[in-house]
Amino acid sequence: MTEEDGGVQTKRATGRDSLFLVAQFRLSGEAKTRDVRVRNLSEGGLMIELDRMIAVGTAVTLDLRGIGEITGTVAWGTEGRLGIALDAPIDPKKARKPVGVGRPPAGPFVAKVPR
């Protein structure tokens, strides 16, 4: 964002991917997990949708598809959303990779082997 008159410019250090994933979320010290929606993801943080407010600085753990278990702290919160600063960088592209290994499709487009 740039302001014309003040010369103030802010820019994120890293890009972030907008996406829609479901992850397992747990507050530090709790055994109970809950499903949350991950709305954007970068190597240093993410934003989730959550139906309750959690204090800034609270330690959390998330289990993300393709990445695994990650830890961080709540950096900000607003109604229905939390920003999480991660303790260690991740590769956000791994969350977009398919997790299952399927069989190749069979059909008329598969070449026949000559006999």
Side-chain angles (χ1 to χ4, degrees):
M1 172 188 306
T2 303
E3 291 183 21
E4 302 261 333
D5 294 326
V8 176
Q9 184 174 357
T10 59
K11 185 177 178 182
R12 290 191 174 273
T14 58
R16 52 181 182 203
D17 288 335
S18 291
L19 62 139
F20 187 80
L21 292 176
V22 175
Q24 294 294 309
F25 173 84
R26 186 176 76 240
L27 293 172
S28 181
E30 287 188 0
K32 180 184 176 186
T33 62
R34 68 190 81 217
D35 288 342
V36 295
R37 294 181 202 154
V38 179
R39 300 302 286 195
N40 65 47
L41 181 63
S42 72
E43 66 181 33
L46 53 98
M47 181 179 67
I48 63 170
E49 291 181 355
L50 188 64
D51 61 355
R52 63 185 261 208
M53 292 297 295
I54 296 176
V56 170
T58 301
V60 298
T61 301
L62 291 111
D63 191 0
L64 286 172
R65 176 189 80 181
I67 294 176
E69 195 169 273
I70 56 175
T71 59
T73 56
V74 176
W76 58 266
T78 188
E79 188 174 323
R81 296 186 183 212
L82 291 177
I84 309 295
L86 300 178
D87 293 338
I90 60 166
D91 180 357
K93 292 178 185 171
K94 288 183 177 180
R96 291 190 177 274
K97 290 185 180 179
V99 292
V101 177
R103 295 174 28 193
F109 51 86
V110 175
K112 292 183 179 181
V113 178
R115 293 186 181 205

